[in-house]
Amino acid sequence: MIKPTSAQVNDRPAVIITDNGNVLEASLKGLSSRFHAIWLRDNGQDDRSVDKTNGQKLMALKDIPPDSLVESALLNESQDIQLVFGPDNWHTSIPFKWLWEHRYDSPEGPEQLLLAGEIDTWDSTLLRTLPETSFREASENPAVLLDWLQGIARYGAARMTGLPQKDLAVLDVISLFGFVRETNYGRYFEIRSRTSPINLAYTTRELQPHTDNPYRDPVPGLQFFSCMKNASDGGDSILVDGFRIAEILHREAPETFSRLSRYKVRFRYAGSDDMDLQASRPIIQRDVSGVVTGISFNNRSISALTDIPYDEMNDYYRDLRRFEELVGARELQVRFRLEPGELFVTDNTRVLHGRTGYSNSVSRWMQGAYADKDALYSKIRVLKSPRRC
Amino acid sequence: MIKPTSAQVNDRPAVIITDNGNVLEASLKGLSSRFHAIWLRDNGQDDRSVDKTNGQKLMALKDIPPDSLVESALLNESQDIQLVFGPDNWHTSIPFKWLWEHRYDSPEGPEQLLLAGEIDTWDSTLLRTLPETSFREASENPAVLLDWLQGIARYGAARMTGLPQKDLAVLDVISLFGFVRETNYGRYFEIRSRTSPINLAYTTRELQPHTDNPYRDPVPGLQFFSCMKNASDGGDSILVDGFRIAEILHREAPETFSRLSRYKVRFRYAGSDDMDLQASRPIIQRDVSGVVTGISFNNRSISALTDIPYDEMNDYYRDLRRFEELVGARELQVRFRLEPGELFVTDNTRVLHGRTGYSNSVSRWMQGAYADKDALYSKIRVLKSPRRC
């Protein structure tokens, strides 16, 4: 039975010292959460602990007694917790709001997620709602830019129209939020069919959807293609959400999902004399919590499989075949034709891109460049929050 | 008992089809190794399978029958295995030497390693043998450059002397093998003490050895510092091998090693209005095989710990303290003073760098820049091997 009076009391923030000063228990709205003394001492907001100019921590653990205890804790009228620690009589304060947002006392431990963050996976129906804006609006209106960047973060893909009619406008798009990742291909690359191509991208061939440069470590995080001229027929762009494929496999073929995320594959590119790039990683990458963090798939640059146990090799080939089938499934593919002045961007650690073959009567010409994702997320945070002090 | 005649026979390469065409068994010098039919079919070296110009694969698995079988296998005089596959009568060949180098049939499965690749971990005694060369020799002699780059790969650190006496010579050093990683800090950054510093690096404070930018994803792989002017006293550089610390913990404190590699830590940097960088990763990073692949430690930018279970928080703080003690242990630190025209480079995913505090009577001035590691390894491979055709 719920006691209204008690609930009313719990509605307000409260703190209480327990376990002989080793623990502080905070409570709000009928919930409570414990914090260790050493954790609180490490997260004090005083001038000796944190540089107010840049937010960086000023103390190392060697500056904090290992036997720190909470000696007193008082919640003042501004909802700051005034703390005194022993054994060195250290005074600091922590806002209750901040503390509550950083609670870690969960009986179940951290939540188990297959995918993390504000993302939505998609299939061919994304075509109708693929994030899109014009270069002009994105340049002039921070709210439009924010919306477009958040679209990239959420879907791993977006389009832009109305690029400046000039060479290398793709670099101007990257400048809206971040920085070019220069590689052995240069700060940008021209994609058109060539004789003696150093890469199959530079032919008229159909290209199976793939992620770029899995033979590189780190892999380029964002991949931009702007269209300078398209073919008279063919040369359509194809996008596939690798995270959707991971979800499907996790649900329908857990053994396949497991093998594709457990065993490393080697990738290599040595298409010209001045480079020999090699890297190895699983097709489906997960972090220590099991969250899927990346997809690498590029049939052109995969090397002989040697890191898979003999007894699982035939199974692994079936897994790869299944992955490839999903990559080729029309119901998972977004297809569109890029016209001059248009661009698409993909999260290259998630979304595969490809193209249909084309006839060479009119020369298809795209310009591409890479960028890192950290600047994308940083720009989103900065645009979302009011000016910090 | 060894039978010489039998040994003589086994000395020569041989192949035999087994398991009704599902497997090819190769043998050499008394050893044998099995290969699956689908694997062999996938690794054929014919013109339809591989583009001879750039080495890229031309076939996807959809182009290969899932029920491929080896119908015949003949070793010719050039030691190429001539293969015919059913059910589609596919002809190809694979050099025996290549096949033998790519065998995957090991009863124990892949070897369990804590560290992989050609690396040596080190302590303070590295000071005597830290790889070092002059800019001029590295620029003019490819063998010297190769040796220096291999030193970086092996030890995660190196020095260079005799840099051109000009602004931004650090970028010339990066051009010897690779490309600048441009970040929110620009293509390079100036390190000197400032009023209202956006980063504690821009003060005269001692800096605990750390890796740079753990709040970035991907983290910069290589970090270069060139000295323009040093302080009149203090400002010495400190390097510590994070992989050596991982080895020590793995041996002496396996629980600590395990927790530091199992739980993620959040890092954040929002020292100026135009950036808010965040990333999370374990202090000790391992790949799916358990190999240690990276170290991230930077006490200034570590955020409140929230991804560690409540019951392990106190233990985790003890682990962090132990890690920090090793970072500060003089017997693990290489210390030296950088003079104008000198530079050091670290593998920023492995080696921590710091500096002693200094007096500001003469203004210490360093220039720094980042680069990616893939170009380093690519350049090493290219310099090592004769021109490919």
Side-chain angles (χ1 to χ4, degrees):
Chain A
M1 220 181 98
I2 296 158
K3 294 181 194 169
T5 39
S6 148
Q8 265 171 359
V9 170
N10 283 336
D11 253 13
R12 282 180 302 186
V15 292
I16 181 171
I17 298 171
T18 62
D19 195 14
N20 302 316
N22 280 296
V23 171
L24 185 79
E25 212 169 305
S27 55
L28 182 71
K29 296 183 183 168
L31 296 171
S32 80
S33 200
R34 294 167 298 173
F35 298 86
H36 295 89
I38 190 80
W39 189 97
L40 294 162
R41 172 68 197 267
D42 187 35
N43 287 292
Q45 306 288 303
D46 56 280
D47 286 352
R48 290 175 296 175
S49 299
V50 176
D51 186 302
K52 292 294 182 209
T53 320
N54 53 46
Q56 291 188 289
K57 289 178 81 165
L58 295 170
M59 280 198 297
L61 283 177
K62 69 178 186 308
D63 306 315
I64 299 179
D67 53 348
S68 291
L69 291 174
V70 184
E71 289 189 339
S72 78
L74 284 172
L75 201 57
N76 70 12
E77 288 185 356
S78 333
Q79 305 290 315
D80 285 331
I81 311 165
Q82 307 287 333
L83 292 158
V84 180
F85 293 88
D88 57 348
N89 192 38
W90 183 270
H91 291 243
T92 191
S93 75
I94 298 181
F96 187 92
K97 183 169 180 289
W98 184 93
L99 187 72
W100 196 252
E101 285 168 358
H102 289 81
R103 59 195 190 277
Y104 56 88
D105 179 12
S106 156
E108 310 85 39
E111 203 179 346
Q112 291 294 312
L113 294 169
L114 185 65
L115 296 167
E118 294 182 7
I119 65 170
D120 290 326
T121 67
W122 44 265
D123 59 18
S124 63
T125 59
L126 181 72
L127 183 58
R128 293 190 301 268
T129 52
L130 189 64
E132 183 175 309
T133 188
S134 74
F135 179 81
R136 187 171 172 169
E137 283 192 282
S139 310
E140 295 175 359
N141 187 339
V144 170
L145 177 60
L146 172 61
D147 199 53
W148 191 68
L149 297 177
Q150 284 183 305
I152 301 173
R154 179 172 296 276
Y155 301 107
R159 279 188 300 202
M160 187 174 270
T161 57
L163 266 65
Q165 301 223 348
K166 64 172 204 180
D167 199 29
L168 298 177
V170 62
L171 303 182
D172 294 349
V173 175
I174 292 175
S175 299
L176 292 173
F177 71 95
F179 307 93
V180 168
R181 163 89 73 90
E182 187 172 358
T183 69
N184 308 51
Y185 297 123
R187 286 176 58 78
Y188 64 93
F189 39 92
E190 311 271 6
I191 302 139
R192 35 183 158 191
S193 64
R194 299 175 196 174
T195 48
S196 290
I198 62 159
N199 192 302
L200 293 175
Y202 307 148
T203 65
T204 62
R205 288 174 65 98
E206 173 175 346
L207 289 182
Q208 186 189 44
H210 59 276
T211 59
D212 267 15
N213 298 17
Y215 41 75
R216 212 179 272 289
D217 187 15
V219 118
L222 294 169
Q223 178 270 129
F224 295 79
F225 273 126
S226 79
C227 179
M228 304 299 281
K229 198 184 284 186
N230 208 337
S232 48
D233 63 313
D236 288 1
S237 300
I238 309 171
L239 304 183
V240 178
D241 186 359
F243 281 6
R244 171 60 69 91
I245 293 177
E247 280 182 330
I248 292 170
L249 292 175
H250 187 257
R251 189 175 60 237
E252 296 177 4
E255 295 272 319
T256 290
F257 176 86
S258 167
R259 271 187 298 265
L260 290 178
S261 60
R262 192 163 68 236
Y263 297 123
K264 284 187 286 189
V265 163
R266 299 180 195 207
F267 295 96
R268 183 180 185 197
Y269 178 71
S272 63
D273 287 336
D274 59 348
M275 54 179 115
D276 185 350
L277 294 157
Q278 301 178 23
S280 67
R281 52 172 62 86
I283 303 277
I284 300 173
Q285 297 123 41
R286 309 177 79 181
D287 72 10
V288 281
S289 328
V291 171
V292 172
T293 53
I295 302 289
S296 290
F297 182 77
N298 191 324
N299 191 70
R300 283 170 290 147
S301 54
I302 198 167
S303 299
L305 301 172
T306 53
D307 297 313
I308 288 122
Y310 180 85
D311 289 339
E312 298 187 65
M313 186 61 84
N314 274 334
D315 290 331
Y316 193 86
Y317 264 101
R318 273 188 285 270
D319 300 334
L320 260 187
R321 191 178 289 273
R322 177 73 183 126
F323 190 95
E324 194 187 278
E325 280 166 4
L326 290 169
V327 166
R330 285 301 291 265
E331 65 271 24
L332 295 183
Q333 295 185 342
V334 166
R335 291 185 173 214
F336 53 84
R337 185 180 164 82
L338 221 53
E339 298 298 341
E342 295 180 344
L343 164 147
F344 75 82
V345 46
T346 60
D347 177 343
N348 188 52
T349 67
R350 167 182 172 184
V351 170
L352 300 85
H353 66 279
R355 66 156 189 247
T356 60
Y358 60 97
S359 71
N360 211 8
S361 52
V362 176
S363 182
R364 184 178 183 269
W365 176 23
M366 310 280 261
Q367 293 187 321
Y370 299 126
D372 286 315
K373 280 201 299 181
D374 47 10
L376 169 77
Y377 293 117
S378 174
K379 188 74 175 185
I380 289 173
R381 289 185 200 104
V382 167
L383 289 172
K384 269 169 85 169
S385 52
R387 194 173 183 285
R388 295 184 303 272
C389 48
Chain B
M1 222 184 96
I2 295 159
K3 296 181 193 169
T5 39
S6 149
Q8 268 173 356
V9 170
N10 283 338
D11 253 11
R12 283 180 302 185
V15 293
I16 181 171
I17 298 170
T18 62
D19 196 12
N20 302 315
N22 280 297
V23 171
L24 186 80
E25 214 168 305
S27 55
L28 181 71
K29 296 180 183 170
L31 297 172
S32 80
S33 199
R34 296 168 296 173
F35 298 86
H36 295 89
I38 189 79
W39 188 98
L40 294 163
R41 173 66 198 267
D42 187 35
N43 287 292
Q45 306 287 305
D46 55 281
D47 286 351
R48 289 175 298 174
S49 299
V50 176
D51 186 303
K52 291 296 181 207
T53 320
N54 53 46
Q56 291 189 291
K57 288 178 81 167
L58 296 170
M59 279 198 299
L61 283 176
K62 68 177 186 312
D63 305 316
I64 299 179
D67 53 347
S68 291
L69 290 174
V70 184
E71 288 189 340
S72 78
L74 284 172
L75 200 57
N76 68 14
E77 287 185 356
S78 334
Q79 304 292 314
D80 286 330
I81 311 164
Q82 307 285 333
L83 291 158
V84 181
F85 292 88
D88 57 348
N89 193 37
W90 183 269
H91 290 244
T92 190
S93 75
I94 298 180
F96 186 91
K97 183 169 181 291
W98 183 94
L99 186 72
W100 196 252
E101 285 168 359
H102 289 81
R103 57 196 192 278
Y104 56 90
D105 179 12
S106 156
E108 310 86 38
E111 204 179 347
Q112 292 294 311
L113 294 169
L114 185 65
L115 296 167
E118 292 181 8
I119 65 171
D120 289 328
T121 67
W122 45 265
D123 59 18
S124 64
T125 59
L126 181 72
L127 183 58
R128 294 190 300 269
T129 51
L130 189 65
E132 182 175 309
T133 187
S134 75
F135 179 81
R136 186 170 173 170
E137 283 192 281
S139 310
E140 294 174 357
N141 186 339
V144 170
L145 177 61
L146 171 61
D147 200 51
W148 191 69
L149 298 176
Q150 284 183 305
I152 301 173
R154 178 173 298 277
Y155 300 107
R159 278 188 300 204
M160 187 175 270
T161 57
L163 266 64
Q165 301 222 351
K166 62 172 206 181
D167 199 31
L168 298 178
V170 61
L171 303 182
D172 294 349
V173 175
I174 292 176
S175 299
L176 291 174
F177 71 94
F179 307 93
V180 168
R181 164 89 73 90
E182 188 172 357
T183 70
N184 309 52
Y185 297 122
R187 284 175 60 76
Y188 65 92
F189 38 94
E190 310 271 6
I191 302 141
R192 36 183 158 192
S193 66
R194 299 175 195 174
T195 49
S196 290
I198 63 160
N199 192 301
L200 293 174
Y202 308 148
T203 66
T204 62
R205 289 173 65 97
E206 172 177 347
L207 289 182
Q208 185 189 44
H210 58 276
T211 58
D212 267 16
N213 298 16
Y215 42 75
R216 214 179 271 290
D217 188 15
V219 117
L222 294 169
Q223 178 270 131
F224 295 79
F225 273 125
S226 79
C227 179
M228 304 298 282
K229 196 184 285 185
N230 210 336
S232 48
D233 63 313
D236 287 2
S237 301
I238 309 171
L239 304 183
V240 179
D241 186 0
F243 281 5
R244 171 59 70 92
I245 293 179
E247 279 182 332
I248 292 170
L249 291 175
H250 187 256
R251 188 175 62 237
E252 295 177 6
E255 295 271 319
T256 291
F257 176 87
S258 167
R259 271 187 297 266
L260 291 179
S261 60
R262 191 163 70 236
Y263 297 123
K264 284 187 286 189
V265 164
R266 299 181 195 207
F267 296 96
R268 183 180 185 198
Y269 179 72
S272 64
D273 287 337
D274 59 348
M275 54 180 114
D276 185 351
L277 293 157
Q278 300 179 24
S280 67
R281 51 172 64 87
I283 304 277
I284 300 173
Q285 297 122 43
R286 310 177 79 181
D287 73 9
V288 282
S289 328
V291 171
V292 173
T293 53
I295 301 289
S296 291
F297 182 77
N298 191 323
N299 191 70
R300 283 171 288 146
S301 55
I302 197 167
S303 300
L305 301 172
T306 53
D307 297 313
I308 288 123
Y310 180 84
D311 290 339
E312 298 187 65
M313 187 60 84
N314 273 334
D315 290 332
Y316 193 86
Y317 265 100
R318 273 189 284 271
D319 300 334
L320 260 186
R321 192 177 289 274
R322 179 73 184 125
F323 190 95
E324 194 186 278
E325 280 165 7
L326 290 169
V327 167
R330 286 299 292 265
E331 66 270 25
L332 295 183
Q333 297 185 341
V334 166
R335 291 184 174 215
F336 53 85
R337 184 180 164 84
L338 221 53
E339 299 297 342
E342 295 180 346
L343 163 147
F344 75 81
V345 46
T346 61
D347 177 342
N348 188 52
T349 68
R350 166 182 172 184
V351 170
L352 300 84
H353 66 279
R355 66 154 189 247
T356 60
Y358 60 98
S359 71
N360 211 9
S361 53
V362 176
S363 183
R364 184 178 185 268
W365 176 23
M366 310 281 258
Q367 294 187 320
Y370 299 125
D372 287 313
K373 281 201 298 181
D374 46 10
L376 169 77
Y377 293 117
S378 173
K379 189 75 176 183
I380 289 173
R381 289 184 200 106
V382 167
L383 288 172
K384 271 171 85 170
S385 52
R387 192 171 185 287
R388 296 186 303 273
C389 49

